[in-house]
Amino acid sequence: MAAAKFALGIDFGTESGRVMLVRADTGEEVAWSVVPYVNGVMDRSLPDDTPLGPDWALQDPRDYLFVLDRGVREVMRESRVNAAEVAGIGVAFTSCTMLPCLADGTPLCMLEGFASQPHAWVKLWKHHAAQRQADRINQLGARRREEFLRICSGRYSSEWLFSKVLQMVEEAPEVYAAAGRLIEAGDWIVWQMTGREVRSECSAGYKGMWIKGQGYPSRAFFHELDPRLESVVSEKIEAPILPLGSVAGGLSKSMAARMGLAPGTPVATAVIDAHAAVPACGVTEPGRLAMIMGTSICHMLLGSEAQMVEGMCGVVEDGILPGYWGYEAGQAAVGDIYAWFFRTGITAAMEQEAGRRGLSPAEWVTTEAWRLKPGESGLLALDWWNGNRSVLMDAGLSGVLAGATLATRPEEIYRALIEATAFGTRAVIDAFDARGLPTRDIVACGGLAERSPAVMQIFADVTGREIRLPRSFQASGLGAAMHGAVAGGYYKDFGAAARGMTGLLERAYRPNPAARSVYDRLYCEYRTLHDYFGRGTNDVLKRLRAIRREVTGQ
Amino acid sequence: MAAAKFALGIDFGTESGRVMLVRADTGEEVAWSVVPYVNGVMDRSLPDDTPLGPDWALQDPRDYLFVLDRGVREVMRESRVNAAEVAGIGVAFTSCTMLPCLADGTPLCMLEGFASQPHAWVKLWKHHAAQRQADRINQLGARRREEFLRICSGRYSSEWLFSKVLQMVEEAPEVYAAAGRLIEAGDWIVWQMTGREVRSECSAGYKGMWIKGQGYPSRAFFHELDPRLESVVSEKIEAPILPLGSVAGGLSKSMAARMGLAPGTPVATAVIDAHAAVPACGVTEPGRLAMIMGTSICHMLLGSEAQMVEGMCGVVEDGILPGYWGYEAGQAAVGDIYAWFFRTGITAAMEQEAGRRGLSPAEWVTTEAWRLKPGESGLLALDWWNGNRSVLMDAGLSGVLAGATLATRPEEIYRALIEATAFGTRAVIDAFDARGLPTRDIVACGGLAERSPAVMQIFADVTGREIRLPRSFQASGLGAAMHGAVAGGYYKDFGAAARGMTGLLERAYRPNPAARSVYDRLYCEYRTLHDYFGRGTNDVLKRLRAIRREVTGQ
C-alpha cells in the first residue's frame, strides 16, 4: 500500500457522470472529467421514440458504463498517475435510481425483446409516475404498523424502490417476471466493476425499506401489497448488504482493462450522492449540519442515538457514516423556486436595466434584492412551490405569498422567496433541535452555496448559524473518493479521511445580529402560517389542488 | 321652459374636466369636450417648485375655472344650441376635494402671500398625508361615541374633510386662520357659477360629518380635537345645505358671459362624481347595485330604510338620490391591481409573444387568462393590494396569494387577481344582503366595465348576478346633466329623469352556472382566509407593515 497515494471518486449525477482523481493524503484534485449521458434524462420518449407517460423519467445504463470507459481513462491519462497508485475507488450515485436486470447483471433494456418497453429501462430518482403505488404502500404500511414507515416519518415516497417495483409489476408484469434482479443503479455499477453483487446499507436503508438488525418487511406485507410480490426480496433483491466504506470487491480484470486501472483495486460499496457529500463537507460528527444546496436542499445530520424527528425523510443507522445514526431532511424546491421567479417574474424593463449594467437579469435582480433590509419588503412567503418535504412531508401543499401592495416590486418578491426557503431550513433545524439534535453550525455545498453569497448570508441570518463552504466544489465526487480511500485502507475511518482530505474555505457567513432579530420575528409569523396551512387548521391549499384536478380532469 | 330642451353636465375628474350637453328628453349626447387640467395632480411640487411631502396630492382651482371657460364654450359652439334652450346645469366633482378660500370665495392659493404654501391649495381626494389626523379623529370619535362614526362603520377616512382640515390647522395654522371658508371644490365651483355659497347634502353627508336632522358634531368635539377648531363649523363651514336635484342658484351674469350661457340658468347643487353615476346607470330604486369600476370600485345601493351595514364607507339619508338612504361601499384597488400585475408580471417573453400576435401585452395576457377554466390555476388571492375599504375597512391589510407551484404561470396569477377582486365585490353584496338589502342585479359603468368583457363575465360568474352596462359611457357626466335637468324642472324627479335619459346596452353578462358552482366553492375559501387575515385571528399582515415601517423608518 505504500505506493498507493491516490483515490478515485465517480459521481453519477442526473445529467452526467463526473470522475475525480484526488491525492489521498490531502484530497487535492489531480484531474477530473465530466461525461454527459448521451441519452440524458428520458422523460418524453425512449431512444426508439416509444412515448412515455407524464411524470416518467428514465435513463440508459449504457451511459453509466460510458462514464467508466471514457471518464476514468481521461483522468488517468491527464494525471499521468500510475494505475498501481490508486488506493481505492468510490462510487456516488443518485437514488433511488433502479433497474431490472437478468441474474447475470444484464439490464433488461439491453435485450432485444425489451428495448421498447419503458419499464425495462432505468427509473431515475425523479421518476414520479408511481404516486398511486406509493399511496397504497403508505396505506397498507400504516394499517399493518410496518416499521419501515416509522423511519421515514410515515411517508414512503413515490421516488423510492418499492413504489417503482410495484408500478412495474402492475403495469408490466412480463418485465417484472423477466427481471432476475431489481437493483439500485449504484449497486449495479459496482457489480459491473467487481463482478460481485452486493447492496449498500445506505440506499437499502433510506430507500429500500431495509432496517439494520431487522431486515426487509415480511413476505406477508409484500403479499398483501400484491401477491406477485410475495417473494420479491428473496428472489430479486436479497444480496449481501455492506456497510459504507467497506470493500464491495476488487476491480475485475476486464473492467480494469476497460478503465485503464489495476485489477483488484478495491471498489467501495456505493453511496447515495447527497450522503457522499457529508464527509466531504468535513461533517463526521454530530452537531454540524451538512446542506447540499441546489434545485432542492438535502439536510444531513449525524446523531449518536435513534430519535424519531418530525418529518425526516429518513433516519438510518450507519446510513451516512458508520457509527452514527444518519438523519436526512429536505426541502423539495429551493433553487427551483428562484428559477421559477427568474422565468415568470423578470419584466422586459428589468432585462433592459440589467443589460445596461452588463449583468444578467438574474444577477441584477439578485443585486437589487440584496439591497433590501430584512423586513423591508413587507412580504412573507411559505416556500411550498413544490410541496413540503420536511417537516410536514406533504406534497399536496403549495406556495403562499402574503403582504403584497401596489408598491411591491419584483425584486421584493424574489427576496421574500429566498427568505422563505431559509425559514424552511430553520424549521428543519428546529425539528432536529426539538429531539435533542442541536445544530451548532452549518457546512453547505452545491451550486447554490458556491454561486449565491447573498442567499447564503440570508440563510445565516435566518438560521442564526455560521455557514461555511468546503474547499472542494465537487463534494459528492470528493466524498466518493473518500469512500474509495477508506475502503482501500488508506484511512482507518471517515474521521481520519476528513481530517486529511477536506477543509473549509476561509470565508464564513456569520449571522448579522440586527438582521437576525428581524428574522426572528418574521420566522414567528412564518411558523404561524406554516402550522395554519400545513397542519390541518385550514386545508385550503389541498382543496385548491383538488378543485384544479377536477376542472382539468388531471 | 317650453323651449328648454337640453341639459348640461360638467364632470370634474382627477385629471380633467368633461363637459357634456345632452338632450333633456332622451339623454342623447349632443356635444362634449374634455379639458385637461394644466397643473394636473401635483404630488411632488407646486408650480413654483415648492416640494411636497410624501402622499400629498394637490390641485389648482384655476384649472376648474378653465373647464367652465373653455369646455362649456366648446360644446355650445359645436352643438349650435341656443343658450336659452339649456334647462339646467349639473356639476359632478371628485370628493372630498377641498380648499381654503376667503369669505368672498377667492382661493388662498391665488393670493400673493400664499402661493408657495402647500396648504393653501386644493387638497385632492387622494391626498393621503392626513392619516395621523384621521387616526386621532377616529380615536376621539370612538371615545365620545360620536354619531358620525356610526354612519361610516367607525372609520373616518384620511381622505375626508376634517382629516384634511386638522392637518391644515396643525401644520399651517396661518393658512387655517386666513381661511374664511373651508369648502368642497364642488360646492366652490357652484358658488363661483351662482354667486351663492351653499353646501351639498351629498358631500356633507358622506365626507363632512354632517347628519340630516342632527347637523355637525358639537363644538365640544372639535374643541377636544384641537382647541383652534372649536368654532370651525360656525366660522368657516356653515352654509345652507341643499338636497340633491335642488337649485343652488341661477347662473350669474358674469359667469354666463364667460361660459356663453344665459344668465339665470338653474345650477344644481353639486354631487359627488361616483354618486352622480348612479341615476345615469338607471339605478333609482332599491335592488339594483350600481358599480363604478376603474382603478377602484364604488358600490352604490339605495335602501328604503337606515341599516348599519358592516363596513360601508357611508350610509346617508338622501345622499345619492332624494327619498332613499344611500349606501356606499368600495374596493380600494381593482384596476390598480391589474395595472400592478401588468407593471410587474409581464416577462420579456410574454411581450414578444404578444407582439407576434399583434396584441399589447395586457391584451395578450387577458386572452390567455380568459382561456383558463375557473379553478384551473389552483390559485386564490385576497384582493387587498391597497388595503380593504369594505367590508373590513382596514387600510393596514395587504394582498395574499395562495396555491403557487413551480408550474404557475403569470397569466394564472392575473386570473387569480381578477377573481379576487370579484370575490371582494361578492363580499360587499353579502354584507348588504345580511342587512336585508338584496342585490337583484348589477349595472356597471366606468372604464373597466366598458373595456374588459372577460373581467365582467368573471364578476357575473362570481357574484351570480346579471351585469349590464348603461348606454352612456360617461355616467358621471350624464348623471350631472340629469341633476341639471331635475334642478331645471324638466323632470319632476330622478326616476322620471332616468326613464327619459338613460338606458342599458343590450349585451348582458349572465352567470354561467358551471363557472358559478366552482366559484361558490372558491368563494368559501376566500371568506375563510378573509376572516382569518382580516378579523384578527392572525394579524400578520399588519405586523408585516409594522416591521416594514420600523426597518425603513417610514
Side-chain angles (χ1 to χ4, degrees):
Chain A
M1 276 297 157
K5 287 184 291 204
F6 298 89
L8 195 64
I10 313 178
D11 173 24
F12 292 86
T14 299
E15 304 283 351
S16 63
R18 279 151 293 185
V19 181
M20 260 175 89
L21 187 72
V22 306
R23 281 181 55 155
D25 54 348
T26 61
E28 188 193 337
E29 281 179 33
V30 179
W32 62 279
S33 166
V34 177
V35 183
Y37 301 149
V38 175
N39 281 317
V41 177
M42 297 180 283
D43 52 10
R44 294 175 170 269
S45 61
L46 295 178
D48 70 358
D49 290 336
T50 304
L52 301 175
D55 298 325
W56 278 65
L58 304 182
Q59 288 195 323
D60 183 346
R62 278 164 284 227
D63 283 338
Y64 308 146
L65 294 169
F66 190 56
V67 172
L68 300 185
D69 290 344
R70 182 168 135 192
V72 176
R73 280 201 171 279
E74 265 184 17
V75 300
M76 293 309 289
R77 190 181 57 235
E78 192 192 321
S79 67
R80 298 168 175 271
V81 162
N82 188 318
E85 290 182 305
V86 176
I89 306 168
V91 169
F93 218 108
T94 63
S95 175
C96 163
T97 295
M98 60 80 71
L99 68 158
C101 57
L102 299 179
D104 69 359
T106 310
L108 291 193
C109 62
M110 287 163 67
L111 301 179
E112 193 82 18
F114 288 102
S116 297
Q117 169 49 267
H119 277 288
W121 294 73
V122 180
K123 288 194 176 70
L124 185 58
W125 65 274
K126 66 176 176 178
H127 173 89
H128 285 137
Q131 187 58 56
R132 272 191 318 111
Q133 287 78 13
D135 294 344
R136 283 199 31 232
I137 287 172
N138 282 305
Q139 281 160 20
L140 179 61
R143 183 153 55 73
R144 294 177 52 99
R145 300 174 188 276
E146 292 287 339
E147 189 69 8
F148 75 84
L149 272 187
R150 284 194 61 224
I151 68 165
C152 60
S153 304
R155 302 283 171 94
Y156 191 80
S157 167
S158 73
E159 292 181 359
W160 296 351
L161 184 65
F162 287 104
S163 301
K164 285 166 168 160
V165 168
L166 182 56
Q167 189 196 8
M168 181 189 293
V169 79
E170 286 182 357
E171 298 179 6
E174 71 286 6
V175 174
Y176 178 78
R181 309 264 80 196
L182 298 167
I183 189 167
E184 283 272 354
D187 291 332
W188 178 80
I189 199 79
V190 167
W191 180 8
Q192 298 306 300
M193 291 162 76
T194 61
R196 183 173 170 229
E197 184 195 357
V198 300
R199 308 282 169 134
S200 163
E201 278 192 359
C202 179
S203 50
Y206 280 100
K207 320 286 182 178
M209 295 190 186
W210 180 80
I211 299 174
K212 194 160 202 164
Q214 302 183 37
Y216 291 98
S218 66
R219 295 168 65 92
F221 166 75
F222 286 113
H223 177 87
E224 203 171 339
L225 193 57
D226 189 306
R228 293 167 290 188
L229 290 184
E230 180 170 357
S231 308
V232 61
V233 170
S234 59
E235 288 178 3
K236 299 176 195 281
I237 289 176
E238 213 153 55
I241 299 185
L242 301 190
L244 292 174
S246 64
V247 182
L251 196 62
S252 72
K253 246 175 149 167
S254 60
M255 282 307 285
R258 278 173 74 169
M259 297 164 73
L261 293 173
T265 306
V267 179
T269 307
V271 57
I272 302 175
D273 52 359
H275 299 60
V278 177
C281 287
V283 173
T284 56
E285 285 178 4
R288 173 169 280 183
L289 179 72
M291 290 207 299
I292 297 95
M293 302 178 73
T295 54
S296 59
I297 294 183
C298 270
H299 306 85
M300 305 276 194
L301 197 67
L302 300 174
S304 302
E305 47 185 327
Q307 290 288 353
M308 288 303 126
V309 180
E310 186 190 11
M312 290 303 103
C313 308
V315 180
V316 174
E317 188 177 0
D318 302 331
I320 298 176
L321 290 180
Y324 293 106
W325 289 80
Y327 294 84
E328 180 189 356
Q331 284 172 271
V334 178
D336 273 350
I337 298 183
Y338 312 159
W340 172 85
F341 173 80
F342 295 143
R343 213 163 54 235
T344 61
I346 307 266
T347 65
M350 291 161 75
E351 286 200 8
Q352 281 162 22
E353 184 61 26
R356 252 197 300 280
R357 306 190 184 204
L359 299 172
S360 74
E363 286 167 342
W364 179 79
V365 79
T366 302
T367 310
E368 293 300 303
W370 180 238
R371 280 183 211 277
L372 298 167
K373 298 187 185 110
E376 180 174 348
S377 72
L379 297 171
L380 178 65
L382 292 178
D383 54 317
W384 301 341
W385 261 246
N386 193 21
N388 178 298
R389 190 175 292 163
S390 302
V391 296
L392 298 169
M393 300 213 92
D394 193 337
L397 297 173
S398 51
V400 174
L401 180 72
T405 72
L406 295 174
T408 296
R409 299 191 309 277
E411 60 267 31
E412 294 179 318
I413 294 175
Y414 178 46
R415 172 86 180 211
L417 295 176
I418 298 173
E419 291 167 347
T421 53
F423 292 141
T425 282
R426 181 159 169 184
V428 167
I429 291 173
D430 282 3
F432 282 128
D433 205 62
R435 288 298 184 158
L437 294 161
T439 293
R440 202 178 58 243
D441 58 11
I442 298 172
V443 177
C445 64
L448 205 54
E450 293 153 19
R451 286 190 294 269
S452 306
V455 169
M456 297 313 295
Q457 185 60 50
I458 291 170
F459 270 70
D461 291 340
V462 165
T463 60
R465 266 77 173 183
E466 181 177 298
I467 305 179
R468 295 183 67 181
L469 271 59
R471 257 183 350 219
S472 169
F473 280 1
Q474 298 288 343
S476 292
L478 176 61
M482 292 169 75
H483 280 257
V486 170
Y490 192 92
Y491 291 107
K492 71 173 197 324
D493 59 24
F494 283 95
R499 281 188 295 278
M501 298 175 79
T502 70
L504 300 178
L505 294 181
E506 270 308 302
R507 171 163 193 184
Y509 297 97
R510 293 198 181 83
N512 171 314
R516 191 181 165 180
S517 99
V518 175
Y519 281 137
D520 280 347
R521 293 161 67 191
L522 291 173
Y523 178 67
C524 277
E525 305 294 349
Y526 174 91
R527 284 308 297 239
T528 304
L529 291 183
H530 174 279
D531 292 352
Y532 175 73
F533 286 111
R535 295 196 196 274
T537 315
N538 183 352
D539 275 337
V540 55
L541 301 177
K542 292 179 195 183
R543 288 190 295 270
L544 289 172
R545 277 193 196 252
I547 291 171
R548 180 177 210 278
R549 273 195 303 273
E550 265 178 58
V551 304
T552 60
Q554 283 166 9
Chain B
M1 279 296 158
K5 287 183 292 204
F6 297 89
L8 195 64
I10 314 178
D11 173 24
F12 292 87
T14 300
E15 303 285 350
S16 62
R18 279 151 292 186
V19 182
M20 260 175 87
L21 188 70
V22 304
R23 280 180 56 155
D25 53 348
T26 62
E28 186 194 338
E29 281 179 34
V30 179
W32 62 279
S33 166
V34 177
V35 183
Y37 301 149
V38 175
N39 281 318
V41 177
M42 298 180 282
D43 52 10
R44 294 176 170 268
S45 61
L46 294 179
D48 70 357
D49 290 336
T50 304
L52 301 175
D55 298 325
W56 277 66
L58 303 182
Q59 288 195 322
D60 182 346
R62 280 165 284 227
D63 283 338
Y64 308 144
L65 294 169
F66 189 57
V67 172
L68 300 184
D69 291 346
R70 180 168 137 193
V72 176
R73 279 198 169 280
E74 264 185 16
V75 299
M76 294 308 289
R77 190 181 60 235
E78 193 192 319
S79 67
R80 298 166 176 274
V81 162
N82 189 316
E85 290 182 304
V86 176
I89 306 169
V91 169
F93 218 109
T94 63
S95 175
C96 165
T97 295
M98 61 80 71
L99 68 159
C101 58
L102 299 180
D104 69 359
T106 309
L108 291 193
C109 63
M110 287 164 68
L111 300 178
E112 193 83 18
F114 287 102
S116 296
Q117 169 48 266
H119 278 288
W121 294 73
V122 180
K123 289 194 176 69
L124 184 59
W125 65 274
K126 65 176 177 178
H127 174 90
H128 286 138
Q131 187 57 56
R132 272 193 317 112
Q133 287 77 12
D135 293 344
R136 282 197 35 229
I137 287 172
N138 282 306
Q139 281 160 20
L140 179 62
R143 180 152 58 73
R144 293 178 52 100
R145 300 173 187 276
E146 292 286 340
E147 188 70 8
F148 75 85
L149 272 188
R150 284 194 60 224
I151 68 164
C152 59
S153 304
R155 301 284 171 95
Y156 191 81
S157 167
S158 73
E159 292 181 0
W160 296 351
L161 184 66
F162 288 104
S163 302
K164 286 166 168 161
V165 168
L166 182 56
Q167 189 196 9
M168 180 189 293
V169 77
E170 286 181 359
E171 298 178 5
E174 71 286 6
V175 174
Y176 178 78
R181 309 266 79 196
L182 298 168
I183 188 166
E184 282 272 354
D187 292 332
W188 177 80
I189 199 80
V190 167
W191 180 8
Q192 298 307 298
M193 289 162 77
T194 61
R196 184 177 169 224
E197 184 195 357
V198 300
R199 307 281 169 134
S200 163
E201 279 192 359
C202 179
S203 50
Y206 280 100
K207 320 286 183 179
M209 294 190 186
W210 179 81
I211 298 173
K212 194 160 202 166
Q214 303 182 37
Y216 290 98
S218 64
R219 296 168 63 93
F221 166 76
F222 286 112
H223 177 88
E224 204 171 338
L225 194 57
D226 188 308
R228 292 168 292 188
L229 290 184
E230 180 170 357
S231 308
V232 61
V233 171
S234 60
E235 287 179 4
K236 299 176 195 282
I237 288 175
E238 211 152 58
I241 298 186
L242 300 190
L244 291 174
S246 64
V247 181
L251 196 62
S252 71
K253 246 175 146 164
S254 60
M255 283 306 285
R258 278 174 72 169
M259 296 166 74
L261 293 174
T265 306
V267 178
T269 307
V271 58
I272 301 175
D273 52 358
H275 299 59
V278 177
C281 286
V283 174
T284 56
E285 285 178 4
R288 173 169 279 184
L289 179 71
M291 290 206 298
I292 297 95
M293 302 178 73
T295 54
S296 59
I297 294 183
C298 269
H299 306 85
M300 304 277 194
L301 197 66
L302 301 174
S304 302
E305 48 184 327
Q307 289 288 353
M308 287 303 126
V309 180
E310 186 190 12
M312 291 302 103
C313 308
V315 180
V316 175
E317 188 176 0
D318 302 332
I320 298 176
L321 291 179
Y324 293 106
W325 288 81
Y327 293 84
E328 180 189 357
Q331 284 171 270
V334 178
D336 273 351
I337 298 184
Y338 311 159
W340 172 84
F341 173 80
F342 295 143
R343 211 160 57 234
T344 61
I346 308 266
T347 64
M350 292 162 74
E351 286 200 9
Q352 281 162 19
E353 183 60 27
R356 253 196 298 281
R357 306 191 185 203
L359 299 172
S360 75
E363 287 167 342
W364 179 79
V365 78
T366 301
T367 309
E368 292 300 304
W370 180 238
R371 278 183 213 278
L372 298 167
K373 299 186 186 113
E376 181 175 347
S377 73
L379 298 171
L380 177 65
L382 292 177
D383 54 316
W384 301 341
W385 262 245
N386 193 20
N388 178 298
R389 191 177 288 164
S390 301
V391 296
L392 299 169
M393 301 212 92
D394 193 335
L397 297 173
S398 51
V400 174
L401 179 72
T405 73
L406 294 174
T408 297
R409 298 190 310 276
E411 60 268 31
E412 295 179 317
I413 294 175
Y414 177 46
R415 172 85 180 213
L417 295 176
I418 297 173
E419 291 167 347
T421 53
F423 292 140
T425 282
R426 182 160 169 185
V428 167
I429 290 173
D430 282 2
F432 282 129
D433 205 61
R435 288 297 184 159
L437 295 162
T439 294
R440 203 178 58 242
D441 58 10
I442 298 172
V443 178
C445 64
L448 204 54
E450 293 152 19
R451 285 189 296 269
S452 305
V455 169
M456 297 313 294
Q457 185 59 50
I458 291 171
F459 269 71
D461 292 339
V462 165
T463 60
R465 265 76 173 183
E466 181 176 300
I467 306 180
R468 295 183 68 181
L469 271 60
R471 253 180 357 220
S472 170
F473 280 1
Q474 297 289 343
S476 291
L478 176 60
M482 292 170 76
H483 279 257
V486 170
Y490 191 93
Y491 292 106
K492 72 174 196 323
D493 59 25
F494 283 94
R499 280 188 294 278
M501 299 174 79
T502 72
L504 300 178
L505 294 181
E506 271 307 303
R507 169 160 197 187
Y509 297 97
R510 293 196 181 86
N512 171 311
R516 190 182 166 180
S517 100
V518 175
Y519 282 138
D520 279 348
R521 293 161 66 192
L522 290 174
Y523 178 67
C524 277
E525 305 294 348
Y526 174 91
R527 284 311 295 240
T528 304
L529 291 183
H530 174 279
D531 291 353
Y532 175 73
F533 285 111
R535 295 194 195 276
T537 315
N538 183 351
D539 276 335
V540 55
L541 301 177
K542 293 179 193 182
R543 287 190 296 270
L544 289 172
R545 277 191 196 254
I547 291 172
R548 179 176 210 279
R549 273 195 303 273
E550 265 176 57
V551 303
T552 60
Q554 283 167 8

